[in-house]
Amino acid sequence: MNSLSRRKFLKITGAVLGTAAALTGTAGMVVKSAKKIDEAKVKGIQKIPTYCDICFWKCGAIAYLKNGKLWKVEGNPIDPLSKGRLCPRGTGGVGAHYDPDRLKSPLIRKSLRGKEEWVEVTWDEAFDYIAEKMNKIKAQYGPESIALFSHGIGGTFFKHTLKAFGTQNISAPSFAQCRGPRDVGFKLTFGEDVSSPERTDIKNAKCIVLIGSHLGENMHNTQVQEFAEAIENGASVIVVDPRYSVAASKAKYYLPIKPGTDLALLLTWMNIIVKENLYDKEFVSRYGFGFEQFTAEISHYTPEWAYVETGIDPELIVKTAHEIARYRPASLIHPGRHATWYGDDTQRSRAIALLNALMGNWGVKGGFYTPVSMDVPSYPYPPYPESKKGKVDNPDNKYPFAHETITNGIREATITGKPYPIKGWFVYATNLIHALPNEEETIKAIQNLDLMVVIDVIPSEIAGWADVVLPESVYLERYDDINVEWFREPFVSLRQPVVDSPHDQKPNWWMAKKLAERLDLQNYYPWNHIEEYIEYRLNAVGYSFEQLKKDGIIPGEKQPIFTEEGALLEFPTPSGKVEFYSLQLAGAGFDPVPKYTKPQEPPPGYFRLLYGRAPVHSFGRTQSNRVLMDMMDENEIWINSDIAHRYGLKSGDYIKLKNIDGIVSNKIKVKATERIRTDCVYMVHGFGHNSKMLKGAYMKGASDAELITQYVIDPLMGGTGMNVNFVTFEVEV
Amino acid sequence: MARFGMVIDTKKCVGCMDCVVACKTENNVPEGFNRDWIVQEVIGKYPDLHMEIRSERCNHCDNPPCVSCCPTGASHVHDLGGVVLVNHKECISCKACLASCPYDARFIHPDGYADKCTLCIHRVEKGMNPACVDVCPTHCMYFGDLDDPNSEVSKLLKSRKHHTNIPAAGTKPQIFYLM
């Protein structure tokens, strides 16, 4: 994410532009370029570097081939993200290549949408079908009436083709269904968001506060590695979670909070820290804006009041407030990542940002570092056509602080036809049925479409609703754009093919280019093969493609990332300061300082449905990976032991869950446990697939997404709070 | 003589199963089976809980019942480092070793022999660590020579509180857990 201030930062500190970085290479590593593997029957072991795509973290990896066949994937030792150690999903990446459920050839629907009845077609037939429909939509409604939902770096070229076609309705669930509120909350406060990989200096933190963030189960590799390092260094860990997470088991203080009341705790912590003068006065007086109004606004949040809201012992609230302040500035209140919980998420994230500001930890060791990057310009394409209509997702700027496109806004427009109709959906590598709340609305929107194209490696639920399904090569079989990362140190990494695709799968760049050619947009693809595109980008800054193919990573020169090292602090907010009181928010009719509102109580006999991650799966995308399936092939519903006993349930029993709208889940295994409160239940997201083509994962476990019929929209940025659903147990299965 | 063993820091382990996945791909462990696994042991009543997370596998015991009970000699102690191994060709898959192991560390491979953790002897012989040790994102696992007082594993055992699994079984396990 190239935010303005970081670009400026690069200029100030001297960009590495144009300097070919010296490479040390890796001793004893036999690395061969991708082309060599085309030679049949290669004897022995080959090692080919690439970067992972099992999640979006983009860890540098080395794929091992044994006699030409994919054997295993390890971390690339010179990769700053993985440091030579992949997470379990990345290690299980081989299973993505061998997955027998993969899409094999292009498909065109032959009966009703969602029936999953297909005709296998050639690529030419598929592109002809799509291009004809696109041109019809363009003629009747305009090019803006086609939208793209995308996830990950693989979406780069489809975005390009569709922008060239004339639409800007390009979105990703990673904003409005995930990190959006967090990024907006931090941007409103510091003028910058925490981006991805998060700019958190976990390894140097002396106190780490995790609020619902379950590092260790959530396996964002660098974050987990640094968390373990901090634990080894004796960091004080404070975990706030309704569930005794893995991270909680590492904590000095575990706060068993009532779901939905985090903001009450945060405001109270801040009030204690301000009243007792425990905050960083120098930082606040130098960089803070509106601190007096802020302190007045939070002055009534006492530990005794917070006890009633959160259920946390007032003494524990005071003790942990002192603990957090004791270690400042190396006290890090982690911003989390998946933040779309209750609909007031931007304000909660803002409170997290403000508590960090009180610690004076922005740009400081043990707090938030200033990410750096190489300055590799993008490919010089012709300008995209300008749209007269603007984007469809946020009419009249209803959600004034949405700085990315709102997926559910596009869905809404597709249903209502307002502000203008959306008639075509492209869906790249995101299973919207599991990613968006309220499946019924998604299906309703799909019924209004004249064209629905899904590009993916596996037959996800959303593929089942498509008119055309395009089978993509998995990451181990394709090039993608180079990754120019914003991180602790600048580097460029390469994804390159390691093995051939087993069937008629194709890389996304090839599909997006072929489609552009069908649409008479070939001038937007001045290159014939992605290798030319990558080489052009690298040569523009004096790097060698051959070197990158050999090593997988080109490291840049280290630059200062902390103020202690000479990095400059700047806050691109309207005031140019850290906004304790936000005039922007006040001006738009929102609370300038976060205010607490009570969450809705579960109806009698119902439990709040919470969901999260398992370390061995990514979203709903890995459940048919046979290696990862052997680690975890179904999810469980975590129920407090006492509640389970009351319902006559024990671990291993199967039940169904019913939500307040009467939706009943697939059967799910009970985990009766002490590790969760009595007012909520928990399951890992991504299971309960009902796509018939996804044989390995079919009907294993239950889908939380199916039960998330209710959602609360964050009025600041349009994100969907999804922890607002209540379920009861259907014991007869 | 070297005596190989492992020391695993339960304070750092997050139970992510990377060790299990790495073992599976390194050793081509067949679908449906794993040579190592994760245990999460919880004690207490919510919210006053304690949890120990352990990556478990064959303990390569000093007094291995699986070796003494084996009728063919397939289960044996390797010359190098006291590692307990199975000679596939000599194994008649009688399952005596499966029954004798207090840790349930063995299974019958679909190809018809008792299978389990080898401490990645094929890597160790080349001077490398077992795959599970090298993959761990938390760096919670240590492999080395327990007979060498200067090895990292020996030093860790000297400086940190630790335990083995089911010591009462008398098998003298060589996998140690730091507490």
Side-chain angles (χ1 to χ4, degrees), chain B residues 101-126:
Chain B
C101 176
Y103 309 105
D104 204 13
R106 293 174 169 234
F107 60 90
I108 298 296
H109 191 283
D111 291 347
Y113 53 84
D115 199 13
K116 65 167 197 73
C117 163
T118 63
L119 272 185
C120 281
I121 193 75
H122 64 288
R123 289 168 64 96
V124 171
E125 280 170 349
K126 288 184 204 155

Side-chain angles (χ1 to χ4, degrees), chain B residues 13-31:
Chain B
C13 176
V14 294
C16 72
M17 300 179 90
D18 211 353
C19 46
V20 187
V21 185
C23 172
K24 198 175 187 71
T25 56
E26 174 71 28
N27 297 298
N28 291 314
V29 179
E31 216 174 294

Side-chain angles (χ1 to χ4, degrees), chain B residues 90-109:
Chain B
E90 288 173 18
C91 177
I92 54 169
S93 61
C94 70
K95 301 184 188 171
C97 55
L98 271 69
S100 77
C101 176
Y103 309 105
D104 204 13
R106 293 174 169 234
F107 60 90
I108 298 296
H109 191 283

